Amino acid sequence: MRYACVLLILILVAFSQTPNQTTPYWAYALDPPSGTSQAKADSTLHHVPRSDKSFTTAQTEDLFNPPDWHPAGHPPMPEVVAYGRKPAVYACGYCHLPNGEGRPENAALAGLSASYIVRQIDDFRSGARKTSEPHHLPAITMASIAVKSADPDIRSAAEYFSRIHPKPWIRVVETATVPKTQVSGWMLVPTLPPATEPIGRRIIEIPENLSLTELRDDDSGFIAYVPEGSLRKGRSLVVMGSRGKTVPCANCHGQGLHGSGNVPPIAGRSPSYIIRQLYDIRSGARSGVLSKQMLPQVRKLEMDDMIDIAAFVSSLKP
């Protein structure tokens, strides 16, 4: 009995959430409080594969002039995407990357319809799109930027990202064991020294190459570790639905989940992002017109269902 109690405590500790966080920590990755010390200036020029560009660390962290490592890989960026509008509107290409693929902490915009993007900005402005996690700074920042953005800039950014065809960005792997992680840059990254732990009922999404992701290389994607069996279970929920719980996703999101009209494509998107949106719709944090249409299909989903759905959807070709 004593051994069983100790084992239970260890399991609870291993899968506990960030202190004061009620949302699933692995989907709403919250950066720990940072210190006050500033990094020393570094003039070292960095390089990434398949690019002839070079940038310093400071340049890769510039909110108003983010690095464009692969300019031939996307259309010419409008000014608001490339540079933003000082002082309060960051360059769209900083968070969402010039190719619109984004990172786990924010949305992939590539391939979304321009009208859908504009609608989401309107929802951020009105408060109809919020986050269930009050400390999730990426979502809070997006809401602030939406309020301060001019309509012509919103339209030009929406048109830009709608013209980009999404590419495979997430590699989904079923596994029982995952790298042990911590939060850095509002996403999960492997700990140092490296270690492993059971995945449990989580999705662990990390960069394929952390150093390239930190340089904001928009040619380096992510790997999502998902629980064993989740792809089969997710396929059943997504393709067939579940009586009394949800309906087939293609009913609204179209064939191959590549979108239909003003309903967004979801195939191949970040599973962390998908989990957050399902959770936010279910909690009422997202209450726009399209979210209200989704609510009857999400209301009865358990977290295990969301994990299975996100795992399968993310594994599909975008």
Side-chain angles (χ1 to χ4, degrees):
M1 178 64 72
R2 181 180 179 185
Y3 173 80
C5 291
V6 172
L7 180 60
L8 177 60
I9 291 172
L10 290 175
I11 291 173
L12 291 174
V13 170
F15 293 99
S16 63
Q17 298 177 335
T18 301
N20 302 321
Q21 184 174 359
T22 58
T23 50
Y25 84 92
W26 44 267
Y28 296 81
L30 303 183
D31 259 8
S34 60
T36 56
S37 60
Q38 296 183 349
K40 296 181 180 179
D42 182 4
S43 60
T44 302
L45 288 173
H46 300 285
H47 303 268
V48 304
R50 297 175 292 280
S51 174
D52 60 1
K53 305 294 182 180
S54 60
F55 299 97
T56 65
T57 297
Q59 288 174 317
T60 67
E61 296 174 350
D62 190 340
L63 298 171
F64 298 99
N65 188 18
D68 186 4
W69 292 104
H70 308 280
H74 56 80
M77 289 187 287
E79 186 173 349
V80 70
V81 175
Y83 305 111
R85 298 286 184 190
K86 291 184 177 181
V89 178
Y90 302 152
C92 305
Y94 180 81
C95 293
H96 300 286
L97 304 181
N99 67 356
E101 293 293 346
R103 309 195 325 173
E105 71 269 22
N106 51 48
L109 302 182
L112 297 178
S113 71
S115 61
Y116 178 80
I117 294 173
V118 170
R119 180 188 289 269
Q120 297 313 301
I121 296 298
D122 287 343
D123 283 352
F124 275 120
R125 284 172 158 180
S126 70
R129 179 165 179 171
K130 295 180 287 191
T131 173
S132 303
E133 174 48 64
H135 302 294
H136 192 248
L137 188 59
I140 296 169
T141 300
M142 186 64 241
S144 175
I145 289 174
V147 170
K148 298 169 184 174
S149 296
D151 289 343
D153 284 340
I154 293 170
R155 287 193 295 270
S156 66
E159 291 289 347
Y160 169 78
F161 288 116
S162 72
R163 294 196 301 270
I164 301 176
H165 192 280
K167 63 181 181 180
W169 191 241
I170 312 292
R171 182 165 62 94
V172 176
V173 176
E174 283 193 342
T175 183
T177 304
V178 294
K180 192 172 183 180
T181 56
Q182 62 187 23
V183 180
S184 178
W186 301 96
M187 63 182 176
L188 298 180
V189 301
T191 59
L192 291 176
T196 60
E197 63 183 2
I199 189 171
R201 291 300 297 174
R202 302 178 296 170
I203 292 178
I204 301 299
E205 186 175 357
I206 62 175
E208 289 272 17
N209 185 310
L210 179 56
S211 63
L212 295 181
T213 295
E214 289 179 332
L215 291 173
R216 311 198 83 78
D217 177 6
D218 61 357
D219 199 35
S220 185
F222 293 81
I223 180 170
Y225 295 105
V226 302
E228 292 180 318
S230 59
L231 293 180
R232 175 182 56 81
K233 295 174 185 176
R235 175 183 172 82
S236 178
L237 285 168
V238 169
V239 176
M240 303 299 294
S242 177
R243 188 173 182 179
K245 181 174 286 190
T246 191
V247 301
C249 297
N251 285 8
C252 296
H253 292 279
Q255 186 176 3
L257 306 186
H258 292 153
S260 177
N262 203 34
V263 179
I266 55 176
R269 306 275 164 167
S270 160
S272 304
Y273 177 83
I274 291 174
I275 290 286
R276 290 198 303 274
Q277 304 324 302
L278 292 174
Y279 194 100
D280 288 351
I281 292 170
R282 192 182 66 174
S283 75
R286 286 189 63 169
S287 58
V289 173
L290 295 178
S291 296
K292 288 180 179 178
Q293 293 174 5
M294 274 281 293
L295 183 57
Q297 316 311 328
V298 174
R299 183 184 287 119
K300 296 181 180 180
L301 293 178
E302 303 292 340
M303 180 54 66
D304 280 354
D305 298 324
M306 295 184 187
I307 289 171
D308 295 335
I309 289 170
F312 178 71
V313 168
S314 298
S315 73
L316 299 176
K317 183 179 179 180

